[in-house]
Amino acid sequence: MYPGNGFVKCPRQSAFIMAKTGEAVTYAELEARSNRLAHLLRAQGLCGLDHYAIFMENNARYIESCSAGSRAGLYYTCVNSFLTPDELTYILNNSESKILITSEAKCGVAMAALANCPNITLCLIADGKGDGTRMQNLDEATAAYPATPIADESLGAAMLYSSGTTGRPKGILRPLPMQPASQPLPLMAFLDKLWRYRDGMIYLSPAPLYHAAPQAAVSLAIDRAATAIIMESFDAELYLQLVETHKVTHSQLVADHVLAHAQIAR
């Protein structure tokens, strides 16, 4: 998720809008937030190919939490937000994550997991208070950092985990070439063409952002300087209302266990 393209083309356009609350974040705001977080990650010692994790529900801070890693050459693991403390502990340790980003809603599970995660040096809470040491509020922790890009920007990527149906979940670690953050991986460029993304599109995401397909779809929309509508949770009636209200052009749904991408005629 690289908001820099949208920041250059249309800084005042909404990069994404939360479906239920209506909270909108412009490309200028997303650019500033993700840059500040990238600076913080560097200040905490994370450099190329290091790992951090995100454990929270769909909310207005999720995309910047991914975007910072995408522009800092880091792997970020988006963790299933319904996991237990023991399950979260395993993924945090197995991924060798050094920082965890969570939310007030998931803070109890996160705190229980962190008791057994010695490699996590900092936990950022997107919408809640910290303790001033190992756990800090995201805005307070990033406030002192510049809103401009880090000096050594490079492409980062998600490292997601399997469902664990044949044992423990397994991290899917794809090679990460040294290239500019604005240049997508070949897989993402292929999906962009396959899903017929285009300038000016409006993408509606009804699914959890810790899943691979919604993650890729929203990431590509942001790269395209589109506007993404993010549903906090799925509701069929609300989904249809959002299509009409926002004049949605693209979306992604699951029907009969088959993933379907829809390009809506407009």
Side-chain angles (χ1 to χ4, degrees):
M1 299 183 182
Y2 183 70
N5 297 325
F7 175 61
V8 171
K9 293 179 181 178
C10 43
R12 296 183 180 179
Q13 175 187 310
S14 294
F16 65 90
I17 301 170
M18 300 305 299
K20 289 184 179 179
T21 67
E23 181 178 353
V25 175
T26 67
Y27 271 100
E29 292 169 331
L30 180 58
E31 172 77 0
R33 289 181 183 181
S34 60
N35 280 329
R36 289 192 178 99
L37 180 52
H39 279 285
L40 171 64
L41 294 172
R42 280 288 186 272
Q44 290 291 316
L46 275 70
C47 55
L49 307 184
D50 279 340
H51 296 246
Y52 69 99
I54 302 163
F55 176 67
M56 51 189 182
E57 72 286 359
N58 284 8
N59 61 38
R61 311 309 295 269
Y62 210 110
I63 291 178
E64 74 191 71
S65 298
C66 300
S67 176
S70 293
R71 67 195 313 158
L74 304 174
Y75 286 109
Y76 50 94
T77 291
C78 299
V79 185
N80 185 325
S81 62
F82 294 97
L83 295 189
T84 65
D86 287 344
E87 292 169 332
L88 175 59
T89 295
Y90 168 76
I91 289 181
L92 294 179
N93 289 332
N94 184 261
S95 65
E96 299 182 353
S97 291
K98 298 181 178 180
I99 288 177
L100 174 64
I101 302 175
T102 190
S103 66
E104 183 71 19
K106 301 298 174 181
C107 192
V109 176
M111 290 180 67
L114 289 179
N116 297 299
C117 297
N119 291 331
I120 299 288
T121 59
L122 177 64
C123 178
L124 299 169
I125 306 176
D127 55 354
K129 297 179 180 179
D131 60 10
T133 54
R134 194 186 186 195
M135 304 188 73
Q136 298 182 27
N137 172 266
L138 175 60
D139 286 327
E140 293 176 358
T142 58
Y145 293 99
T148 51
I150 58 176
D152 58 341
E153 272 198 338
S154 62
L155 183 67
M159 187 190 83
L160 305 183
Y161 273 72
S162 68
S163 60
T165 53
T166 57
R168 287 283 201 177
K170 299 169 181 63
I172 302 160
L173 186 65
R174 294 187 175 93
L176 191 58
M178 290 297 297
Q179 64 186 55
S182 58
Q183 180 181 337
L185 291 168
L187 173 62
M188 300 299 277
F190 168 76
L191 292 176
D192 181 86
K193 292 181 180 179
L194 179 68
W195 296 342
R196 299 182 182 181
Y197 277 24
R198 64 175 188 262
D199 293 344
M201 61 177 278
I202 299 174
Y203 180 79
L204 174 54
S205 180
L209 291 176
Y210 60 75
H211 273 300
Q215 244 271 336
V218 172
S219 179
L220 282 172
I222 297 297
D223 291 346
R224 270 279 188 171
T227 294
I229 314 301
I230 309 296
M231 296 185 72
E232 290 88 344
S233 58
F234 182 70
D235 176 270
E237 184 175 353
L238 176 60
Y239 178 92
L240 295 174
Q241 291 174 358
L242 292 168
V243 169
E244 184 60 31
T245 299
H246 295 282
K247 309 303 179 186
V248 170
T249 62
H250 293 67
S251 190
Q252 181 187 80
L253 296 165
V254 176
D256 295 329
H257 305 289
V258 177
L259 184 64
H261 289 266
Q263 184 174 10
I264 301 168
R266 289 288 180 188

